[in-house]
Amino acid sequence: MKTGRKILMPYLTGGISPNWTDYLPALVAAGADAIEVGIPFSDPTLDGVTIQEASNVALARGTTPLSVLNALKETTVDVPIIVSTYANLAVRKGFCAQLKDTGVDGLIVPDLPLEEVPAIEQSGIELALLVSPATPADRAREIAAQSQGFVYAVSSMSTTGERDHLPASAIELATRLKGTTDLPILIGFGISQPAHAAEAARVADGVIVGAAIMRRVLDGAGPAEVGEYVATLRAALD
């Protein structure tokens, strides 16, 4: 995933509202280079309060993995769509085939053991793996070597959520990873303000922004309002 500029990947919880796919073109218009669509999950391990709340709202609406994929299949945007979920769904027989049939470009699975990576890769779906500040150097190199599309650099040892500053560990991790792979390094977890995005992009190849977007959606912001916020991130990266 190389764009010639710093990469901006907003996150959206699938099924969060009846018109949730209307947010996708708004994100693209605001400068998104790719969009992460999360399949709502009832028992997350890395998602913080905001994404958990978004998942609960979506699940209460009757959202299922299939309903998210069907909605994506009917929606066309001209940037890659990266689906995120957890391992017990990702390794289910037929799931990756469904992703490919939907036209999804990539997959993020935060709790997928490296030993399960070959099964995903054989499906033709690009799998992006996560590295945290606590990941040992040799393990980080192995994760980067098996990632496809990009490497997801977790900014700090915490769950997802908005922060008032970018942790120093984010910059340290991105710097370390840049020496292990030619893939883009994207920093996620806690990117909440344009200044965070600009700081992260001095070292990394881009950012992933989730909780700050979903907090606005949960508070009632429509596609245009969310797009205005995402445009501030785009301007900071540029």
Side-chain angles (χ1 to χ4, degrees):
M1 184 191 300
K2 295 186 179 180
T3 65
R5 64 179 183 177
K6 295 296 183 176
I7 296 168
L8 174 57
M9 185 186 297
Y11 165 95
L12 182 69
T13 299
I16 184 65
S17 65
N19 67 331
W20 71 271
T21 55
D22 291 349
Y23 287 90
L24 301 179
L27 294 173
V28 175
D33 298 294
I35 301 172
E36 178 186 353
V37 174
I39 293 180
F41 195 76
S42 61
D43 191 24
T45 56
L46 279 183
D47 291 315
V49 173
T50 301
I51 304 299
Q52 286 187 40
E53 182 182 350
S55 285
N56 289 338
V57 169
L59 290 170
R61 292 192 60 253
T63 301
T64 65
L66 186 58
S67 72
V68 172
L69 296 184
N70 285 340
L72 288 175
K73 192 171 185 177
E74 297 172 0
T75 305
T76 301
V77 291
D78 58 0
V79 301
I81 297 294
I82 315 298
V83 162
S84 57
T85 188
Y86 285 91
N88 64 345
L89 178 58
V91 300
R92 184 178 299 174
K93 186 176 180 180
F95 177 73
C96 286
Q98 288 179 316
L99 290 182
K100 197 163 183 63
D101 180 61
T102 300
V104 166
D105 298 276
L107 178 63
I108 299 170
V109 189
D111 60 340
L112 185 73
L114 279 179
E115 292 72 22
E116 298 288 347
V117 167
I120 302 293
E121 290 179 337
Q122 290 170 9
S123 70
I125 294 292
E126 289 193 340
L127 178 65
L129 300 174
L130 285 74
V131 181
S132 81
T135 305
D138 57 345
R139 187 71 167 179
R141 284 192 296 271
E142 186 177 1
I143 291 171
Q146 295 200 46
S147 287
Q148 297 175 307
F150 65 95
V151 180
Y152 194 136
V154 176
S155 68
S156 62
M157 295 302 295
S158 61
T159 56
T160 62
E162 296 179 82
R163 307 280 189 273
D164 58 7
H165 68 282
L166 183 69
S169 56
I171 302 301
E172 294 166 359
L173 177 59
T175 301
R176 178 157 57 98
L177 288 172
K178 292 293 283 185
T180 67
T181 180
D182 292 330
L183 292 176
I185 307 299
L186 305 187
I187 294 178
F189 285 43
I191 305 293
S192 310
Q193 302 169 17
H196 299 165
E199 184 180 356
R202 291 192 186 103
V203 175
D205 298 290
V207 295
I208 300 170
V209 184
I213 290 172
M214 294 316 302
R215 174 45 52 200
R216 286 165 169 78
V217 174
L218 287 166
D219 288 347
E225 293 171 273
V226 170
E228 289 174 2
Y229 165 67
V230 172
T232 67
L233 301 171
R234 178 75 269 163
L237 290 173
D238 292 343

